Short mmCIF file of all heavy atoms in Angstrom, two decimals:
data_model
loop_
_atom_site.label_atom_id
_atom_site.label_comp_id
_atom_site.label_asym_id
_atom_site.label_seq_id
_atom_site.Cartn_x
_atom_site.Cartn_y
_atom_site.Cartn_z
N MET A 1 -2.91 -13.09 6.43
CA MET A 1 -2.16 -11.95 5.94
C MET A 1 -3.04 -10.71 6.03
O MET A 1 -4.26 -10.80 5.93
CB MET A 1 -1.74 -12.18 4.49
CG MET A 1 -0.82 -13.37 4.27
SD MET A 1 0.70 -13.32 5.19
CE MET A 1 1.68 -12.24 4.20
N LYS A 2 -2.37 -9.58 6.19
CA LYS A 2 -3.09 -8.31 6.12
C LYS A 2 -2.41 -7.42 5.09
O LYS A 2 -1.20 -7.54 4.85
CB LYS A 2 -3.16 -7.62 7.48
CG LYS A 2 -1.83 -7.18 8.06
CD LYS A 2 -2.06 -6.51 9.41
CE LYS A 2 -0.75 -6.18 10.08
NZ LYS A 2 -0.95 -5.56 11.38
N TRP A 3 -3.19 -6.56 4.49
CA TRP A 3 -2.74 -5.67 3.43
C TRP A 3 -2.94 -4.25 3.91
O TRP A 3 -4.04 -3.86 4.27
CB TRP A 3 -3.56 -5.93 2.17
CG TRP A 3 -3.32 -7.29 1.59
CD1 TRP A 3 -3.77 -8.48 2.09
CD2 TRP A 3 -2.56 -7.59 0.43
NE1 TRP A 3 -3.33 -9.50 1.30
CE2 TRP A 3 -2.59 -8.99 0.26
CE3 TRP A 3 -1.87 -6.81 -0.49
CZ2 TRP A 3 -1.96 -9.63 -0.78
CZ3 TRP A 3 -1.24 -7.46 -1.54
CH2 TRP A 3 -1.28 -8.85 -1.67
N ILE A 4 -1.86 -3.48 3.95
CA ILE A 4 -1.88 -2.11 4.47
C ILE A 4 -1.66 -1.15 3.30
O ILE A 4 -0.64 -1.23 2.62
CB ILE A 4 -0.79 -1.91 5.53
CG1 ILE A 4 -0.96 -2.93 6.65
CG2 ILE A 4 -0.79 -0.48 6.05
CD1 ILE A 4 0.24 -3.13 7.51
N VAL A 5 -2.61 -0.25 3.10
CA VAL A 5 -2.51 0.74 2.03
C VAL A 5 -2.26 2.10 2.68
O VAL A 5 -3.09 2.57 3.46
CB VAL A 5 -3.81 0.79 1.19
CG1 VAL A 5 -3.68 1.83 0.08
CG2 VAL A 5 -4.13 -0.58 0.61
N LEU A 6 -1.11 2.69 2.39
CA LEU A 6 -0.81 4.01 2.93
C LEU A 6 -1.66 5.05 2.21
O LEU A 6 -1.73 5.07 0.99
CB LEU A 6 0.67 4.34 2.78
CG LEU A 6 1.62 3.49 3.61
CD1 LEU A 6 3.05 3.99 3.45
CD2 LEU A 6 1.24 3.49 5.08
N GLU A 7 -2.30 5.91 2.99
CA GLU A 7 -3.23 6.89 2.43
C GLU A 7 -2.67 8.30 2.37
O GLU A 7 -3.37 9.21 1.94
CB GLU A 7 -4.53 6.88 3.23
CG GLU A 7 -5.27 5.56 3.11
CD GLU A 7 -6.56 5.54 3.88
OE1 GLU A 7 -6.57 6.06 5.03
OE2 GLU A 7 -7.54 5.00 3.34
N GLU A 8 -1.44 8.49 2.79
CA GLU A 8 -0.86 9.82 2.74
C GLU A 8 -0.44 10.18 1.32
O GLU A 8 -0.32 9.31 0.46
CB GLU A 8 0.32 9.92 3.71
CG GLU A 8 1.46 8.99 3.39
CD GLU A 8 2.53 8.98 4.46
OE1 GLU A 8 2.36 9.62 5.50
OE2 GLU A 8 3.54 8.32 4.25
N ASN A 9 -0.21 11.47 1.09
CA ASN A 9 0.21 11.96 -0.22
C ASN A 9 1.48 11.23 -0.66
O ASN A 9 2.46 11.22 0.06
CB ASN A 9 0.44 13.46 -0.16
CG ASN A 9 0.64 14.07 -1.52
OD1 ASN A 9 1.08 13.43 -2.46
ND2 ASN A 9 0.32 15.33 -1.62
N PRO A 10 1.46 10.60 -1.84
CA PRO A 10 2.60 9.78 -2.26
C PRO A 10 3.78 10.57 -2.83
O PRO A 10 4.75 9.97 -3.29
CB PRO A 10 1.99 8.90 -3.34
CG PRO A 10 0.89 9.71 -3.90
CD PRO A 10 0.33 10.50 -2.75
N GLN A 11 3.74 11.88 -2.82
CA GLN A 11 4.84 12.68 -3.37
C GLN A 11 6.02 12.65 -2.41
O GLN A 11 5.80 12.69 -1.21
CB GLN A 11 4.39 14.11 -3.61
CG GLN A 11 3.25 14.23 -4.60
CD GLN A 11 3.56 13.64 -5.96
OE1 GLN A 11 4.70 13.62 -6.40
NE2 GLN A 11 2.55 13.15 -6.63
N PRO A 12 7.23 12.57 -2.80
CA PRO A 12 7.77 12.59 -4.16
C PRO A 12 7.94 11.21 -4.78
O PRO A 12 8.48 11.09 -5.87
CB PRO A 12 9.14 13.24 -3.97
CG PRO A 12 9.59 12.72 -2.65
CD PRO A 12 8.30 12.64 -1.81
N ASP A 13 7.46 10.15 -4.11
CA ASP A 13 7.69 8.79 -4.61
C ASP A 13 6.89 8.45 -5.87
O ASP A 13 7.30 7.60 -6.64
CB ASP A 13 7.36 7.77 -3.52
CG ASP A 13 8.27 7.91 -2.32
OD1 ASP A 13 9.47 8.21 -2.52
OD2 ASP A 13 7.79 7.73 -1.19
N ASN A 14 5.75 9.09 -6.05
CA ASN A 14 4.89 8.87 -7.21
C ASN A 14 4.34 7.45 -7.32
O ASN A 14 4.18 6.92 -8.41
CB ASN A 14 5.59 9.27 -8.51
CG ASN A 14 5.70 10.77 -8.61
OD1 ASN A 14 4.78 11.49 -8.26
ND2 ASN A 14 6.83 11.24 -9.09
N TYR A 15 4.07 6.80 -6.19
CA TYR A 15 3.36 5.52 -6.19
C TYR A 15 2.58 5.38 -4.89
O TYR A 15 2.91 6.00 -3.88
CB TYR A 15 4.32 4.33 -6.37
CG TYR A 15 5.39 4.20 -5.33
CD1 TYR A 15 5.14 3.64 -4.08
CD2 TYR A 15 6.70 4.60 -5.60
CE1 TYR A 15 6.12 3.51 -3.13
CE2 TYR A 15 7.70 4.48 -4.66
CZ TYR A 15 7.40 3.93 -3.43
OH TYR A 15 8.40 3.81 -2.49
N ILE A 16 1.53 4.59 -4.96
CA ILE A 16 0.76 4.25 -3.77
C ILE A 16 1.41 3.01 -3.16
O ILE A 16 1.62 2.01 -3.85
CB ILE A 16 -0.71 3.96 -4.12
CG1 ILE A 16 -1.37 5.16 -4.81
CG2 ILE A 16 -1.50 3.53 -2.88
CD1 ILE A 16 -1.43 6.42 -3.99
N ALA A 17 1.78 3.09 -1.89
CA ALA A 17 2.45 1.98 -1.22
C ALA A 17 1.44 1.04 -0.57
O ALA A 17 0.53 1.49 0.14
CB ALA A 17 3.42 2.51 -0.17
N VAL A 18 1.64 -0.25 -0.83
CA VAL A 18 0.84 -1.30 -0.21
C VAL A 18 1.82 -2.27 0.45
O VAL A 18 2.79 -2.69 -0.18
CB VAL A 18 -0.01 -2.05 -1.27
CG1 VAL A 18 -0.79 -3.18 -0.62
CG2 VAL A 18 -0.93 -1.09 -2.00
N MET A 19 1.59 -2.60 1.71
CA MET A 19 2.47 -3.52 2.43
C MET A 19 1.70 -4.77 2.82
O MET A 19 0.55 -4.67 3.23
CB MET A 19 3.03 -2.84 3.67
CG MET A 19 3.92 -1.69 3.33
SD MET A 19 4.41 -0.84 4.82
CE MET A 19 4.50 0.80 4.16
N VAL A 20 2.37 -5.90 2.67
CA VAL A 20 1.76 -7.19 3.01
C VAL A 20 2.50 -7.73 4.23
O VAL A 20 3.74 -7.80 4.24
CB VAL A 20 1.88 -8.18 1.83
CG1 VAL A 20 1.20 -9.49 2.18
CG2 VAL A 20 1.32 -7.59 0.56
N ALA A 21 1.74 -8.08 5.27
CA ALA A 21 2.36 -8.57 6.51
C ALA A 21 1.51 -9.68 7.10
O ALA A 21 0.33 -9.83 6.77
CB ALA A 21 2.49 -7.42 7.51
N GLU A 22 2.11 -10.42 8.00
CA GLU A 22 1.38 -11.45 8.74
C GLU A 22 0.36 -10.76 9.63
O GLU A 22 0.58 -9.66 10.12
CB GLU A 22 2.34 -12.28 9.57
CG GLU A 22 3.30 -13.10 8.75
CD GLU A 22 4.35 -13.79 9.60
OE1 GLU A 22 4.25 -13.73 10.84
OE2 GLU A 22 5.25 -14.38 9.01
N GLU A 23 -0.76 -11.43 9.85
CA GLU A 23 -1.88 -10.86 10.59
C GLU A 23 -1.49 -10.29 11.95
O GLU A 23 -1.89 -9.20 12.30
CB GLU A 23 -2.98 -11.92 10.75
CG GLU A 23 -4.25 -11.39 11.34
CD GLU A 23 -4.98 -10.42 10.42
OE1 GLU A 23 -4.97 -10.64 9.20
OE2 GLU A 23 -5.57 -9.46 10.93
N GLY A 24 -0.70 -10.97 12.74
CA GLY A 24 -0.38 -10.53 14.09
C GLY A 24 0.74 -9.49 14.18
O GLY A 24 0.97 -8.92 15.24
N ARG A 25 1.41 -9.25 13.10
CA ARG A 25 2.56 -8.34 13.10
C ARG A 25 2.10 -6.89 13.00
O ARG A 25 1.25 -6.56 12.18
CB ARG A 25 3.47 -8.69 11.94
CG ARG A 25 4.78 -7.99 12.00
CD ARG A 25 5.72 -8.57 10.98
NE ARG A 25 7.02 -8.01 11.18
CZ ARG A 25 8.11 -8.44 10.63
NH1 ARG A 25 8.04 -9.48 9.82
NH2 ARG A 25 9.25 -7.88 10.86
N ILE A 26 2.68 -6.02 13.81
CA ILE A 26 2.35 -4.59 13.77
C ILE A 26 3.52 -3.85 13.14
O ILE A 26 4.66 -3.99 13.58
CB ILE A 26 2.07 -4.06 15.19
CG1 ILE A 26 0.86 -4.79 15.78
CG2 ILE A 26 1.83 -2.56 15.16
CD1 ILE A 26 0.59 -4.47 17.22
N LEU A 27 3.23 -3.08 12.11
CA LEU A 27 4.26 -2.33 11.39
C LEU A 27 4.22 -0.86 11.79
O LEU A 27 3.17 -0.32 12.12
CB LEU A 27 4.04 -2.45 9.88
CG LEU A 27 4.00 -3.85 9.30
CD1 LEU A 27 3.74 -3.79 7.81
CD2 LEU A 27 5.30 -4.59 9.57
N ARG A 28 5.37 -0.20 11.74
CA ARG A 28 5.43 1.24 12.02
C ARG A 28 4.56 2.03 11.06
O ARG A 28 4.04 3.07 11.41
CB ARG A 28 6.87 1.74 11.93
CG ARG A 28 7.62 1.56 13.23
CD ARG A 28 8.95 2.23 13.15
NE ARG A 28 9.92 1.17 12.89
CZ ARG A 28 11.08 1.32 12.33
NH1 ARG A 28 11.47 2.51 11.96
NH2 ARG A 28 11.88 0.30 12.14
N ALA A 29 4.42 1.53 9.84
CA ALA A 29 3.61 2.22 8.83
C ALA A 29 2.16 2.38 9.29
O ALA A 29 1.47 3.30 8.85
CB ALA A 29 3.66 1.47 7.52
N GLU A 30 1.71 1.52 10.19
CA GLU A 30 0.33 1.59 10.66
C GLU A 30 0.08 2.79 11.55
O GLU A 30 -1.07 3.11 11.85
CB GLU A 30 -0.05 0.30 11.38
CG GLU A 30 -0.13 -0.88 10.44
CD GLU A 30 -0.50 -2.16 11.14
OE1 GLU A 30 -1.70 -2.40 11.34
OE2 GLU A 30 0.43 -2.93 11.48
N SER A 31 1.13 3.49 11.97
CA SER A 31 0.94 4.71 12.75
C SER A 31 0.67 5.91 11.84
O SER A 31 0.28 6.96 12.31
CB SER A 31 2.17 4.98 13.63
OG SER A 31 3.30 5.24 12.81
N LYS A 32 0.87 5.74 10.54
CA LYS A 32 0.57 6.78 9.55
C LYS A 32 -0.86 6.58 9.06
O LYS A 32 -1.45 5.53 9.30
CB LYS A 32 1.55 6.67 8.37
CG LYS A 32 2.99 6.87 8.75
CD LYS A 32 3.87 6.71 7.54
CE LYS A 32 5.34 6.91 7.91
NZ LYS A 32 6.21 6.79 6.75
N PRO A 33 -1.39 7.58 8.33
CA PRO A 33 -2.73 7.36 7.76
C PRO A 33 -2.71 6.18 6.80
O PRO A 33 -1.93 6.16 5.85
CB PRO A 33 -3.00 8.66 6.99
CG PRO A 33 -2.08 9.68 7.58
CD PRO A 33 -0.88 8.92 8.07
N CYS A 34 -3.51 5.17 7.11
CA CYS A 34 -3.54 3.97 6.28
C CYS A 34 -4.87 3.26 6.45
O CYS A 34 -5.65 3.58 7.33
CB CYS A 34 -2.39 3.03 6.65
SG CYS A 34 -2.52 2.29 8.29
N ALA A 35 -5.10 2.30 5.58
CA ALA A 35 -6.26 1.43 5.67
C ALA A 35 -5.74 -0.01 5.66
O ALA A 35 -4.80 -0.32 4.93
CB ALA A 35 -7.19 1.66 4.49
N VAL A 36 -6.33 -0.85 6.49
CA VAL A 36 -5.90 -2.24 6.61
C VAL A 36 -7.02 -3.14 6.10
O VAL A 36 -8.18 -2.98 6.45
CB VAL A 36 -5.56 -2.58 8.08
CG1 VAL A 36 -5.12 -4.03 8.20
CG2 VAL A 36 -4.49 -1.64 8.61
N PHE A 37 -6.63 -4.09 5.24
CA PHE A 37 -7.59 -5.01 4.63
C PHE A 37 -7.13 -6.45 4.84
O PHE A 37 -5.95 -6.72 5.00
CB PHE A 37 -7.69 -4.74 3.12
CG PHE A 37 -8.16 -3.35 2.81
CD1 PHE A 37 -7.24 -2.34 2.58
CD2 PHE A 37 -9.51 -3.05 2.75
CE1 PHE A 37 -7.65 -1.05 2.29
CE2 PHE A 37 -9.93 -1.76 2.46
CZ PHE A 37 -9.02 -0.76 2.23
N LYS A 38 -8.08 -7.37 4.78
CA LYS A 38 -7.77 -8.79 4.92
C LYS A 38 -7.60 -9.47 3.58
O LYS A 38 -7.14 -10.60 3.52
CB LYS A 38 -8.85 -9.48 5.74
CG LYS A 38 -8.86 -9.03 7.19
CD LYS A 38 -9.81 -9.86 8.00
CE LYS A 38 -9.87 -9.37 9.42
NZ LYS A 38 -8.85 -9.91 10.26
N SER A 39 -7.98 -8.80 2.49
CA SER A 39 -7.83 -9.42 1.18
C SER A 39 -7.09 -8.50 0.22
O SER A 39 -7.19 -7.27 0.32
CB SER A 39 -9.20 -9.79 0.60
OG SER A 39 -9.83 -8.66 0.05
N SER A 40 -6.40 -9.12 -0.72
CA SER A 40 -5.67 -8.35 -1.72
C SER A 40 -6.63 -7.59 -2.63
O SER A 40 -6.34 -6.46 -3.04
CB SER A 40 -4.77 -9.25 -2.55
OG SER A 40 -5.54 -10.22 -3.23
N ASP A 41 -7.77 -8.18 -2.95
CA ASP A 41 -8.73 -7.51 -3.83
C ASP A 41 -9.21 -6.20 -3.24
O ASP A 41 -9.26 -5.18 -3.93
CB ASP A 41 -9.93 -8.42 -4.10
CG ASP A 41 -9.59 -9.62 -4.96
OD1 ASP A 41 -8.59 -9.55 -5.73
OD2 ASP A 41 -10.31 -10.63 -4.87
N GLN A 42 -9.57 -6.21 -1.97
CA GLN A 42 -10.03 -4.97 -1.31
C GLN A 42 -8.91 -3.94 -1.25
O GLN A 42 -9.13 -2.77 -1.52
CB GLN A 42 -10.51 -5.28 0.10
CG GLN A 42 -11.76 -6.10 0.17
CD GLN A 42 -12.09 -6.50 1.59
OE1 GLN A 42 -11.19 -6.76 2.40
NE2 GLN A 42 -13.38 -6.55 1.90
N ALA A 43 -7.71 -4.38 -0.90
CA ALA A 43 -6.58 -3.46 -0.77
C ALA A 43 -6.23 -2.83 -2.11
O ALA A 43 -6.02 -1.62 -2.20
CB ALA A 43 -5.37 -4.18 -0.19
N LEU A 44 -6.17 -3.64 -3.16
CA LEU A 44 -5.80 -3.12 -4.47
C LEU A 44 -6.89 -2.23 -5.06
O LEU A 44 -6.59 -1.25 -5.75
CB LEU A 44 -5.44 -4.25 -5.41
CG LEU A 44 -4.17 -5.01 -5.01
CD1 LEU A 44 -3.91 -6.16 -5.96
CD2 LEU A 44 -2.97 -4.09 -4.93
N SER A 45 -8.12 -2.51 -4.76
CA SER A 45 -9.22 -1.65 -5.19
C SER A 45 -9.08 -0.26 -4.54
O SER A 45 -9.21 0.77 -5.21
CB SER A 45 -10.56 -2.28 -4.83
OG SER A 45 -11.60 -1.41 -5.15
N HIS A 46 -8.79 -0.26 -3.25
CA HIS A 46 -8.58 1.01 -2.54
C HIS A 46 -7.35 1.74 -3.07
O HIS A 46 -7.37 2.95 -3.27
CB HIS A 46 -8.46 0.74 -1.04
CG HIS A 46 -8.37 1.97 -0.21
ND1 HIS A 46 -9.38 2.90 -0.14
CD2 HIS A 46 -7.38 2.44 0.58
CE1 HIS A 46 -9.02 3.88 0.66
NE2 HIS A 46 -7.81 3.63 1.11
N ALA A 47 -6.28 1.00 -3.32
CA ALA A 47 -5.05 1.61 -3.85
C ALA A 47 -5.30 2.23 -5.23
O ALA A 47 -4.78 3.31 -5.54
CB ALA A 47 -3.94 0.57 -3.93
N ARG A 48 -6.11 1.58 -6.04
CA ARG A 48 -6.42 2.13 -7.37
C ARG A 48 -7.20 3.43 -7.26
O ARG A 48 -6.96 4.37 -8.02
CB ARG A 48 -7.21 1.11 -8.20
CG ARG A 48 -6.35 -0.02 -8.70
CD ARG A 48 -7.15 -0.97 -9.61
NE ARG A 48 -6.38 -2.16 -9.86
CZ ARG A 48 -6.57 -3.33 -9.25
NH1 ARG A 48 -7.53 -3.48 -8.37
NH2 ARG A 48 -5.80 -4.36 -9.54
N SER A 49 -8.12 3.50 -6.30
CA SER A 49 -8.88 4.75 -6.13
C SER A 49 -7.96 5.87 -5.63
O SER A 49 -8.09 7.02 -6.04
CB SER A 49 -10.08 4.56 -5.22
OG SER A 49 -9.69 4.29 -3.90
N LEU A 50 -7.01 5.54 -4.75
CA LEU A 50 -6.04 6.55 -4.29
C LEU A 50 -5.12 6.98 -5.43
O LEU A 50 -4.75 8.15 -5.52
CB LEU A 50 -5.20 6.00 -3.13
CG LEU A 50 -5.92 5.82 -1.80
CD1 LEU A 50 -5.00 5.14 -0.80
CD2 LEU A 50 -6.39 7.16 -1.26
N ARG A 51 -4.78 6.04 -6.29
CA ARG A 51 -3.94 6.35 -7.45
C ARG A 51 -4.62 7.40 -8.32
O ARG A 51 -3.98 8.35 -8.78
CB ARG A 51 -3.66 5.08 -8.24
CG ARG A 51 -2.74 5.28 -9.43
CD ARG A 51 -2.38 3.99 -10.09
NE ARG A 51 -3.59 3.35 -10.62
CZ ARG A 51 -3.59 2.18 -11.23
NH1 ARG A 51 -2.47 1.50 -11.37
NH2 ARG A 51 -4.71 1.66 -11.69
N LYS A 52 -5.91 7.25 -8.54
CA LYS A 52 -6.67 8.25 -9.31
C LYS A 52 -6.74 9.58 -8.57
O LYS A 52 -6.58 10.64 -9.16
CB LYS A 52 -8.08 7.75 -9.59
CG LYS A 52 -8.15 6.69 -10.64
CD LYS A 52 -9.58 6.27 -10.88
CE LYS A 52 -9.65 5.13 -11.86
NZ LYS A 52 -11.04 4.68 -12.06
N GLN A 53 -7.00 9.51 -7.27
CA GLN A 53 -7.12 10.72 -6.47
C GLN A 53 -5.85 11.55 -6.48
O GLN A 53 -5.89 12.76 -6.64
CB GLN A 53 -7.47 10.34 -5.02
CG GLN A 53 -7.55 11.52 -4.07
CD GLN A 53 -7.80 11.06 -2.64
OE1 GLN A 53 -8.34 9.98 -2.40
NE2 GLN A 53 -7.42 11.87 -1.69
N TYR A 54 -4.71 10.90 -6.33
CA TYR A 54 -3.42 11.60 -6.26
C TYR A 54 -2.75 11.74 -7.63
O TYR A 54 -1.68 12.34 -7.73
CB TYR A 54 -2.47 10.88 -5.30
CG TYR A 54 -2.85 11.07 -3.85
CD1 TYR A 54 -3.27 9.99 -3.07
CD2 TYR A 54 -2.80 12.32 -3.25
CE1 TYR A 54 -3.61 10.16 -1.74
CE2 TYR A 54 -3.14 12.50 -1.92
CZ TYR A 54 -3.54 11.41 -1.17
OH TYR A 54 -3.87 11.58 0.15
N LYS A 55 -3.37 11.14 -8.66
CA LYS A 55 -2.85 11.23 -10.03
C LYS A 55 -1.41 10.73 -10.15
O LYS A 55 -0.53 11.41 -10.65
CB LYS A 55 -2.97 12.66 -10.56
CG LYS A 55 -4.40 13.13 -10.65
CD LYS A 55 -4.49 14.55 -11.16
CE LYS A 55 -5.93 14.93 -11.38
NZ LYS A 55 -6.56 15.62 -10.35
N VAL A 56 -1.18 9.53 -9.63
CA VAL A 56 0.12 8.88 -9.78
C VAL A 56 -0.07 7.64 -10.65
O VAL A 56 -1.18 7.14 -10.81
CB VAL A 56 0.76 8.50 -8.42
CG1 VAL A 56 1.08 9.75 -7.61
CG2 VAL A 56 -0.13 7.58 -7.62
N ARG A 57 1.01 7.17 -11.22
CA ARG A 57 0.93 6.06 -12.19
C ARG A 57 0.94 4.67 -11.55
O ARG A 57 0.32 3.75 -12.07
CB ARG A 57 2.12 6.12 -13.15
CG ARG A 57 2.10 7.30 -14.03
CD ARG A 57 3.26 7.23 -14.97
NE ARG A 57 2.73 7.37 -16.32
CZ ARG A 57 3.37 7.07 -17.40
NH1 ARG A 57 4.59 6.58 -17.32
NH2 ARG A 57 2.83 7.24 -18.58
N ASN A 58 1.68 4.50 -10.47
CA ASN A 58 1.96 3.15 -10.00
C ASN A 58 1.44 2.86 -8.60
O ASN A 58 1.22 3.75 -7.79
CB ASN A 58 3.47 2.91 -9.98
CG ASN A 58 4.06 2.96 -11.36
OD1 ASN A 58 3.58 2.31 -12.27
ND2 ASN A 58 5.11 3.75 -11.53
N ILE A 59 1.31 1.57 -8.37
CA ILE A 59 1.07 1.01 -7.04
C ILE A 59 2.26 0.10 -6.78
O ILE A 59 2.64 -0.69 -7.65
CB ILE A 59 -0.24 0.20 -7.00
CG1 ILE A 59 -1.43 1.11 -7.27
CG2 ILE A 59 -0.37 -0.53 -5.67
CD1 ILE A 59 -2.73 0.37 -7.50
N ARG A 60 2.87 0.22 -5.62
CA ARG A 60 4.03 -0.62 -5.30
C ARG A 60 3.70 -1.47 -4.09
O ARG A 60 3.32 -0.95 -3.04
CB ARG A 60 5.25 0.24 -5.03
CG ARG A 60 6.52 -0.57 -4.89
CD ARG A 60 7.73 0.32 -4.88
NE ARG A 60 8.95 -0.47 -4.82
CZ ARG A 60 10.17 0.05 -4.78
NH1 ARG A 60 10.33 1.36 -4.83
NH2 ARG A 60 11.21 -0.73 -4.73
N ILE A 61 3.86 -2.77 -4.24
CA ILE A 61 3.57 -3.71 -3.16
C ILE A 61 4.87 -4.13 -2.50
O ILE A 61 5.80 -4.58 -3.18
CB ILE A 61 2.82 -4.94 -3.70
CG1 ILE A 61 1.52 -4.50 -4.39
CG2 ILE A 61 2.52 -5.92 -2.57
CD1 ILE A 61 0.78 -5.63 -5.07
N PHE A 62 4.94 -3.96 -1.19
CA PHE A 62 6.11 -4.34 -0.41
C PHE A 62 5.79 -5.60 0.39
O PHE A 62 4.80 -5.65 1.11
CB PHE A 62 6.50 -3.22 0.57
CG PHE A 62 6.98 -1.97 -0.10
CD1 PHE A 62 6.08 -0.99 -0.48
CD2 PHE A 62 8.32 -1.79 -0.37
CE1 PHE A 62 6.51 0.18 -1.10
CE2 PHE A 62 8.77 -0.64 -0.99
CZ PHE A 62 7.86 0.35 -1.36
N TYR A 63 6.63 -6.61 0.23
CA TYR A 63 6.47 -7.88 0.93
C TYR A 63 7.46 -7.96 2.09
O TYR A 63 8.51 -7.31 2.06
CB TYR A 63 6.71 -9.06 -0.03
CG TYR A 63 5.73 -9.07 -1.18
CD1 TYR A 63 6.05 -8.49 -2.40
CD2 TYR A 63 4.48 -9.65 -1.03
CE1 TYR A 63 5.15 -8.50 -3.46
CE2 TYR A 63 3.58 -9.66 -2.09
CZ TYR A 63 3.93 -9.09 -3.30
OH TYR A 63 3.04 -9.08 -4.33
N MET A 64 7.17 -8.77 3.08
CA MET A 64 8.01 -8.87 4.26
C MET A 64 9.38 -9.46 3.98
O MET A 64 10.31 -9.26 4.73
CB MET A 64 7.31 -9.69 5.36
CG MET A 64 6.05 -9.04 5.90
SD MET A 64 6.23 -7.31 6.40
CE MET A 64 7.49 -7.42 7.64
N GLU A 65 9.55 -10.15 2.86
CA GLU A 65 10.85 -10.73 2.51
C GLU A 65 11.80 -9.68 1.95
O GLU A 65 12.78 -10.01 1.32
CB GLU A 65 10.70 -11.84 1.47
CG GLU A 65 9.72 -12.91 1.81
CD GLU A 65 8.31 -12.57 1.36
OE1 GLU A 65 8.11 -12.06 0.24
OE2 GLU A 65 7.41 -12.81 2.14
N SER A 66 11.48 -8.42 2.11
CA SER A 66 12.28 -7.29 1.61
C SER A 66 12.24 -7.17 0.09
O SER A 66 13.12 -6.57 -0.49
CB SER A 66 13.73 -7.40 2.08
OG SER A 66 13.79 -7.37 3.46
N SER A 67 11.24 -7.73 -0.53
CA SER A 67 11.10 -7.54 -1.97
C SER A 67 9.89 -6.66 -2.23
O SER A 67 9.03 -6.47 -1.36
CB SER A 67 10.93 -8.89 -2.67
OG SER A 67 9.73 -9.52 -2.25
N SER A 68 9.85 -6.10 -3.42
CA SER A 68 8.69 -5.28 -3.79
C SER A 68 8.42 -5.45 -5.28
O SER A 68 9.29 -5.93 -6.03
CB SER A 68 8.95 -3.81 -3.47
OG SER A 68 9.94 -3.27 -4.30
N ALA A 69 7.23 -5.05 -5.68
CA ALA A 69 6.85 -5.16 -7.08
C ALA A 69 5.93 -4.00 -7.43
O ALA A 69 5.08 -3.61 -6.63
CB ALA A 69 6.14 -6.47 -7.34
N PHE A 70 6.13 -3.44 -8.63
CA PHE A 70 5.23 -2.42 -9.12
C PHE A 70 4.05 -3.09 -9.79
O PHE A 70 4.19 -4.11 -10.44
CB PHE A 70 5.93 -1.49 -10.12
CG PHE A 70 6.78 -0.44 -9.48
CD1 PHE A 70 8.15 -0.58 -9.43
CD2 PHE A 70 6.21 0.69 -8.92
CE1 PHE A 70 8.95 0.39 -8.84
CE2 PHE A 70 6.98 1.66 -8.33
CZ PHE A 70 8.36 1.51 -8.29
N LEU A 71 2.90 -2.48 -9.64
CA LEU A 71 1.69 -3.00 -10.27
C LEU A 71 1.19 -2.02 -11.29
O LEU A 71 1.26 -0.85 -11.13
CB LEU A 71 0.64 -3.23 -9.17
CG LEU A 71 -0.62 -3.93 -9.56
CD1 LEU A 71 -0.31 -5.36 -9.95
CD2 LEU A 71 -1.59 -3.89 -8.42
#
C-alpha cells in the first residue's frame, strides 16, 4: 500500500487529505503537490505537520473502497 498526502492549501475543505492506494496504482491526485509514503505512520506524521502549518482541525483518510474517515 502507499499513502498519499496532499500538500496543497486545504481551503475551503478545512482538512488535510490522505489517500490510501495499492502500490502499483497511479492516482490523478499524484499530479498535484503531494508526498507519497510507504507507511501510515510516516504519512500521518506528515499530515499532522501540514495540519499545524495550515491551521486546520482534521485529517481525512480516503480509502479505495470509496469510504473515508476523519482522524
Side-chain angles (χ1 to χ4, degrees):
M1 298 302 279
K2 65 180 174 181
W3 294 73
I4 304 162
V5 180
L6 293 184
E7 294 181 319
E8 62 187 5
N9 190 334
Q11 300 302 330
D13 297 324
N14 288 320
Y15 59 79
I16 302 298
V18 177
M19 295 174 213
V20 183
E22 294 173 6
E23 187 67 37
R25 191 169 188 168
I26 298 173
L27 303 178
R28 275 187 259 156
E30 292 180 84
S31 65
K32 298 178 180 182
C34 67
V36 180
F37 300 94
K38 292 188 183 274
S39 79
S40 61
D41 291 335
Q42 292 173 324
L44 294 178
S45 176
H46 185 62
R48 286 184 191 101
S49 67
L50 289 174
R51 183 174 62 182
K52 286 182 185 178
Q53 176 184 336
Y54 287 115
K55 297 179 174 96
V56 295
R57 294 183 127 196
N58 296 309
I59 296 170
R60 188 170 183 181
I61 302 175
F62 293 89
Y63 299 95
M64 294 310 301
E65 307 87 43
S66 300
S67 64
S68 68
F70 280 102
L71 187 66

